[in-house]
Amino acid sequence: MMQFEMPVIETERLILRSWREEDKEAIAAISTDEEAARFVGGVAEEWQAFRMVAQYIGHLHLRGFTLFAVEEKETGHCLGWAGPWRPDGWPGNEIGYGLRRSAWGKGYASEAAIASLRFAYGQLGWESAISCIDKENIGSQGVAKKLGAVREQEDVPINNFVADVWRHLPPADFMERFA
């Protein structure tokens, strides 16, 4: 069986790393919170958090990349996820993110998304990246704009939901802007 190692990426305040079984607690905090889960798949039962962590690990083995667990350096707590993602049926390679509500409004999503795009462009060799964002998700639209992304398509059916597709800056432009 082929083994894939996830790198560890450190930012000023975060560690993006591979998944651990105990991270299911952070996933449950997001997926059982109606507001936090609203734009990342909807509310799920707490027991489904283990399946979600296993899904992220499985994505790594199928695609060679996956969402990182996002850990706050100061506390060591897992806050959620961020990183490269492309499930079956997606319109392209995505940089996705989802954080527990207690982490909102602190700039963590932008910090993690910037690190994730650097990784996707620099290590995975992506030539392009998108983010699929619900029309009502003003917070994620703000993160996308901060990263230089523009809304490319509206109301795109993606599996069991509809989202706008935001196109991130091309690699050279992104790397120059976020050196």
Side-chain angles (χ1 to χ4, degrees):
M1 182 168 146
M2 187 179 282
Q3 295 292 319
F4 294 95
E5 293 293 323
M6 285 188 69
V8 174
I9 300 171
E10 291 195 36
T11 68
E12 182 182 339
R13 303 174 297 159
L14 304 172
I15 298 172
L16 280 62
R17 58 163 174 78
S18 61
W19 292 93
R20 302 176 187 145
E21 187 171 350
E22 61 266 21
D23 294 332
K24 68 184 180 188
E25 293 169 14
I27 301 305
I30 295 167
S31 63
T32 60
D33 177 329
E34 190 172 323
E35 186 64 20
R38 181 174 175 202
F39 301 119
V40 292
V43 174
E45 298 291 327
E46 188 171 336
W47 62 266
Q48 291 175 295
F50 177 84
R51 284 186 178 178
M52 293 165 127
V53 170
Q55 172 184 323
Y56 304 149
I57 294 168
H59 190 278
L60 173 66
H61 290 275
L62 291 172
R63 301 274 194 215
F65 59 86
T66 195
L67 297 165
F68 292 94
V70 176
E71 180 180 304
E72 185 179 40
K73 277 185 181 178
E74 186 177 318
T75 64
H77 292 125
C78 182
L79 303 176
W81 62 83
W85 183 241
R86 194 185 80 235
D88 197 36
W90 244 238
N93 289 330
E94 180 179 25
I95 295 299
Y97 43 85
L99 301 175
R100 51 169 89 212
R101 200 172 350 168
S102 63
W104 291 5
K106 298 178 180 179
Y108 289 148
S110 297
E111 191 173 324
I114 289 168
S116 297
L117 268 167
R118 279 190 190 127
F119 171 74
Y121 288 155
Q123 302 300 310
L124 299 177
W126 286 11
E127 294 295 321
S128 164
I130 61 170
S131 287
C132 302
I133 303 173
D134 189 285
K135 199 175 277 315
E136 295 180 20
N137 191 341
I138 304 304
S140 284
Q141 290 173 29
V143 170
K145 289 174 186 174
K146 186 174 182 178
L147 273 61
V150 295
R151 189 183 336 239
E152 183 178 82
Q153 295 177 285
E154 294 186 34
D155 301 320
V156 177
I158 305 168
N159 296 344
N160 64 342
F161 66 99
V162 173
D164 293 347
V165 173
W166 289 70
R167 177 75 51 192
H168 290 283
L169 292 170
D173 295 343
F174 178 83
M175 296 299 207
E176 182 180 321
R177 182 169 174 182
F178 295 97

